[in-house]
Amino acid sequence: MGPTGEDTSGSVVSQLAESVKAISELPECRNAFRKMYGNFVRRVKLLSPLFEELRDGYKQLGEEEVVALESLGEALNSAKQLIKSVNQGSKLYQALQRDEIIDKFHQMTVKIEAALSKIPYEKFDMSEEVCEQIELVHAQFKRAKEKKDCLDSQLEMDLAVAVRDTDLDPAVIKRLSEKLYLRTINDLKKESLAFHEWVIASDGDLGDHFEKMQSLLKKLKDLVLMENPEVDNSEHDKSTVKHRSPVIPDDFRCPISLELMKDPVIVSTGQTYERSCIQKWLNAGHKTCPKTQQTLLHTAITPNYVLKSLIALWCESNGVELPKKQGNGKNRKAGSSISDCDRASIASLLEKLAKGNSEEQRAAAGELRLLAKRNGDNRVCIAEAGAIPLLVELLSSADSRTQEHAVTALLNLSINESNKGGIVNAGAIPDIVDVLKNGSMEARENAAATLFSLSVVDENKVAIGAAGAIPALIKLLCEGTPRGKKDAATAIFNLSIYQGNKARAVRAGIVAPLMRLLEDAGSGMVDEALAILAILASHQEGKAAIGQAEPIPVLVEFIRTGFPRNRENAAAVLWSLCTGDLQQLKLARELGAEEAMKELSENGTERAKRKAVSVLELLQRVDDDFIPQQC
């Protein structure tokens, strides 16, 4: 290799050394993921001697070594970004997102272990001590790859109880305070700021996390104040001396009156105003947004519940009296959290859907999408107002953004069980399938999620399969984003509960992509792929197609080393394949299935144990003259 090759290898090694150094110097993690964060950083630190020795040595690296090290460098850079993000932001939000973060940690571990496996260490001029240390760290990454980390069981239980119950045992909140490192007033102030930043960054798409986080934050604050009253009083006294009249954040002031908002509402440009102020502006005949001077697409106003809650939190923490809303609530319907004015706003949005131009329709569909996601009362109100047929019509819109809003609004509305029937009765299924086939990637993913939601009702499984959804779902499974693949897989699984859809899935070529997902440890789709194979294997066509894909080696490996649910599904598929097929039985025995099944029959789930016993019975009866028949 000439000078360019030397420069490349030297640069790669230096970058790796710097990446390890940067990860090693990251600050201590102080949240629910402290243990897995610390374990990962510790493993990465152990790689340091390898890169230091390569950087300080004089041996020129070949192309194979450089390519392998570059692959490891990419993995470490991705890892650095992940663990930095885990140590920033709201601790409560991260705790509520724990499954997703744990999955990311596991995918990162799999990626690094795969990169380490490709490095030709024998071609490096390393000391014996460094060789031993690299073998050690590689073994640690291998073990970590085989078993996904999890939070400790007590923390899992406490989080579940805290978001579910209103009357909490103080011991639960105390443990959460300790585990999440929210132990002082200062910790909680930082968490409140992180919470506020998260709300702003979410652009209104908060799901159900907002209320859970708000409730937990209040409970934690009550605990800390109770345990440290003197701290809070002293801080309050200092605050009173320093600024007797706290400075109102700009985001909490109405752009018209410049006063603290008591009833913030959003107009079509996305700007927020005090309700009474913007209503006067609109009543005066203005058609523009006061702050941006943009033309308003419509004059409907939507309550900004998120900002209203943040203002209430700020008022409470700064000793400011909560602003009182005008009126006595007589206009509110019993049992509903939506006022008559809000219903009027929804009616105005529906008028735009029905009669507006393309821009008005897009904006109105977008607002209905957010309203339908916010809470159950909104979903009832929007459906009762007649939105579903209008949204179904917009599924055929030539404007891709309008189509995305319409299908996502229907997805959010379908969360309500009674709305499922309304959506199907409006003739939505063929149009949703068309969006799944031809829409933008976001629209296709949300169409898949909508079909899954509708398929919870058994008769809808038949209609969705007959409408041609399954081939389009398989295509999304192959080419979608990680989220899109998950949506497609869950929809395929649910649809395949109906016997007729199993054959449709097999004929559409589902088995090959499922096998690819099984063989790609970093895909994050192994659970879904095995679950779908298990349900398809019970069908004769499914069994034949799976058998042709030569899955036995992969299945036996999952039975040996997989997670409990994956071992169970792999055993179910293996049992279906081996029942009535002597060749598959012999191959399974040759690959060590008998030993793996014995272990599973002792340590698996109840269903896995039953399948393992059945497969063991088949294996024990294998001979050239006997082929068991499938029941």
Side-chain angles (χ1 to χ4, degrees):
M1 189 183 291
T4 304
E6 291 174 5
D7 291 347
T8 302
S9 63
S11 171
V12 169
V13 172
S14 293
Q15 287 171 12
L16 282 165
E18 287 304 313
S19 292
V20 171
K21 184 171 181 287
I23 290 172
S24 302
E25 292 175 351
L26 287 172
E28 179 189 14
C29 182
R30 292 171 58 81
N31 59 31
F33 304 95
R34 184 171 185 264
K35 182 179 178 183
M36 62 183 74
Y37 176 104
N39 286 341
F40 177 80
V41 171
R42 175 179 51 75
R43 292 184 198 116
V44 170
K45 281 182 181 179
L46 293 174
L47 292 170
S48 183
L50 168 63
F51 306 129
E52 289 174 2
E53 191 153 312
L54 290 176
R55 185 174 57 182
D56 297 341
Y58 297 98
K59 184 173 179 181
Q60 189 173 312
L61 300 181
E63 184 178 352
E64 181 187 1
E65 298 98 289
V66 170
V67 169
L69 291 174
E70 284 176 340
S71 174
L72 179 59
E74 290 174 8
L76 287 175
N77 283 334
S78 299
K80 182 170 66 174
Q81 296 307 313
L82 172 62
I83 59 176
K84 281 175 70 176
S85 71
V86 167
N87 210 13
Q88 297 170 351
S90 166
K91 298 177 181 183
L92 287 174
Y93 179 68
Q94 288 180 334
L96 294 173
Q97 291 283 91
R98 54 195 177 278
D99 289 341
E100 184 179 327
I101 292 174
I102 288 169
D103 280 342
K104 287 180 179 177
F105 263 102
H106 187 249
Q107 290 166 19
M108 174 179 73
T109 299
V110 169
K111 192 173 180 182
I112 290 175
E113 192 281 326
L116 288 172
S117 297
K118 293 175 184 175
I119 297 175
Y121 301 104
E122 70 280 358
K123 296 187 178 182
F124 295 154
D125 185 15
M126 296 188 298
S127 67
E128 189 175 335
E129 290 178 351
V130 171
C131 284
E132 289 175 355
Q133 183 155 327
I134 296 307
E135 285 176 8
L136 169 66
V137 70
H138 192 182
Q140 290 180 356
F141 272 104
K142 275 185 179 177
R143 282 197 299 274
K145 180 184 78 168
E146 299 303 327
K147 185 177 180 182
K148 193 183 289 188
D149 275 327
C150 58
L151 303 186
D152 69 68
S153 55
Q154 184 65 62
L155 178 56
E156 285 278 4
M157 286 191 289
D158 288 344
L159 283 167
V161 169
V163 298
R164 184 189 66 216
D165 297 349
T166 52
D167 187 17
L168 280 177
D169 183 342
V172 172
I173 292 296
K174 176 65 175 173
R175 286 195 297 267
L176 285 174
S177 172
E178 293 294 325
K179 292 281 187 181
L180 299 179
Y181 292 84
L182 296 172
R183 303 165 177 171
T184 66
I185 291 293
N186 195 40
D187 291 337
L188 288 166
K189 284 181 178 177
K190 289 178 183 176
E191 179 64 18
S192 295
L193 180 60
F195 176 55
H196 181 221
E197 289 172 350
W198 167 73
V199 170
I200 292 170
S202 349
D203 195 24
D205 190 15
L206 302 176
D208 61 351
H209 288 305
F210 175 75
E211 291 180 2
K212 291 179 181 177
M213 288 172 65
Q214 189 181 39
S215 172
L216 272 173
L217 196 56
K218 186 176 186 311
K219 290 168 185 171
L220 287 163
K221 183 179 178 185
D222 289 345
L223 170 81
V224 172
L225 288 176
M226 183 175 66
E227 291 190 340
N228 304 283
E230 71 287 348
V231 174
D232 185 61
N233 289 339
S234 64
E235 288 194 9
H236 179 70
D237 293 342
K238 289 176 191 172
S239 166
T240 306
V241 172
K242 192 170 181 180
H243 21 229
R244 295 182 179 277
S245 186
V247 178
I248 301 170
D250 289 341
D251 289 339
F252 295 172
R253 294 178 183 271
C254 172
I256 298 174
S257 68
L258 300 182
E259 297 294 327
L260 180 67
M261 287 185 277
K262 56 180 176 280
D263 190 9
V265 294
I266 306 169
V267 297
S268 67
T269 58
Q271 297 296 322
T272 296
Y273 299 92
E274 172 60 37
R275 183 189 289 275
S276 60
C277 295
I278 193 64
Q279 200 63 62
K280 285 178 185 175
W281 172 269
L282 296 173
N283 291 344
H286 296 293
K287 301 294 183 186
T288 57
C289 172
K291 186 172 182 179
T292 66
Q293 294 303 304
Q294 291 176 274
T295 301
L296 295 170
L297 297 176
H298 54 78
T299 56
I301 53 178
T302 306
N304 192 334
Y305 296 115
V306 171
L307 185 60
K308 186 174 182 179
S309 295
L310 288 171
I311 290 172
L313 279 173
W314 178 84
C315 288
E316 187 180 346
S317 13
N318 286 277
V320 175
E321 186 180 354
L322 285 170
K324 290 185 172 59
K325 183 178 174 180
Q326 296 283 327
N328 56 11
K330 287 181 181 177
N331 291 332
R332 194 171 295 279
K333 293 193 175 183
S336 172
S337 67
I338 306 172
S339 69
D340 288 344
C341 185
D342 297 328
R343 291 177 184 273
S345 296
I346 288 170
S348 175
L349 291 173
L350 298 196
E351 187 176 353
K352 300 298 180 185
L353 286 188
K355 300 177 183 178
N357 58 36
S358 59
E359 289 185 358
E360 290 173 327
Q361 286 181 328
R362 184 192 311 127
E367 290 197 42
L368 286 170
R369 167 185 179 170
L370 291 175
L371 282 171
K373 184 165 187 174
R374 192 164 291 150
N375 60 54
D377 288 332
N378 283 3
R379 290 189 274 275
V380 172
C381 183
I382 291 168
E384 287 177 351
I388 288 174
L390 297 174
L391 289 167
V392 171
E393 284 184 28
L394 289 183
L395 293 174
S396 305
S397 171
D399 181 80
S400 63
R401 194 62 181 152
T402 301
Q403 191 181 69
E404 288 168 10
H405 287 328
V407 74
T408 311
L410 288 170
L411 167 62
N412 295 335
L413 289 171
S414 75
I415 295 169
N416 179 285
E417 290 304 310
S418 60
N419 287 346
K420 287 180 170 63
I423 292 168
V424 173
N425 292 338
I429 287 176
D431 291 324
I432 296 170
V433 172
D434 190 61
V435 174
L436 177 66
K437 292 176 178 177
N438 304 307
S440 66
M441 185 55 74
E442 181 184 340
R444 289 170 65 195
E445 291 173 352
N446 288 336
T450 307
L451 291 175
F452 166 71
S453 177
L454 296 177
S455 70
V456 170
V457 180
D458 284 341
E459 53 264 35
N460 292 345
K461 292 180 175 69
V462 182
I464 293 168
I470 290 175
L473 287 168
I474 294 171
K475 189 177 182 186
L476 182 61
L477 181 68
C478 294
E479 62 188 29
T481 65
R483 196 201 85 183
K485 289 180 178 181
K486 294 271 187 187
D487 289 335
T490 52
I492 292 167
F493 176 84
N494 219 37
L495 290 171
S496 296
I497 293 171
Y498 169 59
Q499 196 75 354
N501 286 336
K502 291 183 175 74
R504 288 192 175 101
V506 172
R507 292 166 193 166
I510 183 70
V511 173
L514 291 177
M515 291 304 299
R516 287 196 294 272
L517 292 173
L518 279 190
E519 291 160 4
D520 180 6
S523 69
M525 293 291 295
V526 169
D527 297 3
E528 291 82 357
L530 274 171
I532 296 170
L533 285 171
I535 204 169
L536 293 178
S538 65
H539 188 276
Q540 198 57 40
E541 286 186 49
K543 173 183 171 179
I546 295 167
Q548 289 170 7
E550 300 180 350
I552 301 291
V554 178
L555 293 173
V556 172
E557 185 59 28
F558 273 112
I559 292 166
R560 282 201 192 101
T561 62
F563 298 123
R565 186 62 62 188
N566 290 342
R567 299 178 75 198
E568 175 186 308
N569 283 326
V573 178
L574 187 65
W575 175 79
S576 292
L577 295 177
C578 289
T579 304
D581 193 322
L582 183 61
Q583 292 305 116
Q584 300 285 24
L585 267 172
K586 286 183 174 180
L587 180 57
R589 168 170 275 179
E590 289 168 8
L591 292 168
E594 191 164 3
E595 183 183 345
M597 284 298 183
K598 284 178 181 175
E599 195 278 331
L600 185 63
S601 69
E602 296 172 359
N603 300 313
T605 64
E606 288 306 311
R607 178 171 175 251
K609 287 177 180 178
R610 291 196 301 272
K611 293 297 180 187
V613 168
S614 298
V615 174
L616 285 170
E617 288 175 357
L618 294 175
L619 289 168
Q620 287 161 9
R621 292 151 58 190
V622 171
D623 59 50
D624 293 336
D625 300 318
F626 178 76
I627 303 178
Q629 296 302 307
Q630 184 163 10
C631 298

